[in-house]
Amino acid sequence: MYVVITGASRGIGKALAYKFAEHGYDLVLTCEKNVDLLNTIKNEIESKFNRNVIIIKGLLSENDLPSDIYILINNAGKCDYSLIQDISYNKFKDIIYSNLDYTFLTTKLISQRMINDKQGVIVNISSMWGILGSSMEAVYSMTKGGINAFTKSLAKEFKDSNVDVIAFALGAVDTEMNNHLSKEERMEFIKTLDDGRMLTCDEVAESIYNIVLTKKYNSGDVIELNNGLT
């Protein structure tokens, strides 16, 4: 069985790749441009876990897909930390494409395969900002709110197809998306979080794996993995 993970060259996507490989799944991993990083992950996983790994740069096509896909994880995405007046239209379109268009196109392609097979789980990586909204991240918050609505809508659309659709609204996770924070800003920020720290990518991957594989969800759920964001 294959798990497809978009945006898998680093951060949460990379952690998810190792977690599912560790538990015996073969992988299709995508990235926008970091093919060298993805090749390193492929070599390490094939060596350590003896799993098959297919890597794809850019958007998936029908010819890229193996026959037995069980899980799709829409993880790829971008963020921009700016006042809305300072975001160019081109930057806006870039974020929309990465967070919404890419998710739509990948889901459209793979969900048809799952419907034909009468099984599958689509996992959308969202954010608490899609629920709460975030100053200086209005476009990112907008896209994640869209992901949440997309998840609920597809769960209804696929309810008779034995294909589940869920989303994980993540809190503060220690990824490169937080690199805009200065050392002082980061220290002040983590003081507001549960246990005074961000979640690690490995913790997020472990939680997602356990919830998905034990089916501790209802299709359409937006599951909050929040650690203090308000």
Side-chain angles (χ1 to χ4, degrees):
M1 287 285 192
Y2 277 85
V3 177
V4 178
I5 305 172
T6 67
S9 63
R10 55 189 177 180
I12 294 167
K14 177 181 176 180
L16 285 164
Y18 280 90
K19 178 57 61 177
F20 278 90
E22 176 187 352
H23 289 278
Y25 287 88
D26 295 318
L27 303 170
V28 178
L29 307 178
T30 81
C31 68
E32 181 183 24
K33 55 186 177 182
N34 295 317
V35 177
D36 289 344
L37 292 178
L38 214 54
N39 266 312
T40 298
I41 294 168
K42 169 185 168 69
N43 293 336
E44 289 177 351
I45 287 175
E46 290 181 339
S47 174
K48 184 174 182 179
F49 301 114
N50 195 29
R51 306 314 311 170
N52 188 40
V53 181
I54 300 168
I55 62 172
I56 304 296
K57 180 182 178 182
L59 191 64
L60 286 161
S61 70
E62 182 68 37
N63 292 334
D64 297 324
L65 300 179
S67 60
D68 52 342
I69 296 171
Y70 178 50
I71 299 170
L72 163 63
I73 303 179
N74 286 309
N75 170 73
K78 290 182 179 179
C79 182
D80 185 77
Y81 191 75
S82 303
L83 292 169
I84 192 166
Q85 290 87 356
D86 296 332
I87 300 174
S88 69
Y89 186 45
N90 283 338
K91 183 64 175 179
F92 169 83
K93 290 190 291 184
D94 185 41
I95 297 170
I96 294 295
Y97 177 81
S98 295
N99 297 7
L100 291 180
D101 292 35
Y102 196 94
T103 296
F104 162 74
L105 292 167
T106 303
T107 302
K108 178 180 173 68
L109 175 66
I110 293 178
S111 63
Q112 185 59 61
R113 179 77 61 85
M114 291 178 170
I115 291 168
N116 292 342
D117 293 341
K118 300 190 184 323
Q119 68 170 354
V121 184
I122 297 169
V123 177
N124 295 321
I125 303 302
S126 184
S127 167
M128 287 301 300
W129 294 146
I131 298 171
L132 301 170
S134 175
S135 174
M136 304 287 286
E137 296 181 88
V139 178
Y140 178 77
S141 298
M142 179 177 71
T143 62
K144 293 305 183 179
I147 289 294
N148 296 342
F150 185 59
T151 298
K152 294 175 181 293
S153 298
L154 284 188
K156 294 177 179 179
E157 190 170 320
F158 295 162
K159 65 183 178 65
D160 297 322
S161 304
N162 201 35
V163 176
D164 293 338
V165 190
I166 60 174
F168 287 90
L170 306 183
V173 185
D174 193 6
T175 70
E176 292 181 19
M177 280 192 177
N178 296 302
N179 285 351
H180 65 275
L181 296 172
S182 68
K183 182 178 179 180
E184 292 75 19
E185 289 171 334
R186 183 183 177 93
M187 290 177 65
E188 287 301 312
F189 177 53
I190 64 174
K191 287 178 183 177
T192 68
L193 302 175
D194 297 345
D195 300 324
R197 68 180 186 87
M198 297 185 192
L199 298 170
T200 69
C201 293
D202 288 338
E203 287 173 327
V204 170
E206 179 75 22
S207 294
I208 291 173
Y209 174 84
N210 287 334
I211 291 170
V212 171
L213 269 297
T214 59
K215 290 191 175 291
K216 292 181 179 177
Y217 63 82
N218 294 311
S219 189
D221 282 352
V222 177
I223 300 166
E224 297 183 12
L225 298 182
N226 193 10
N227 54 331
L229 291 186
T230 57

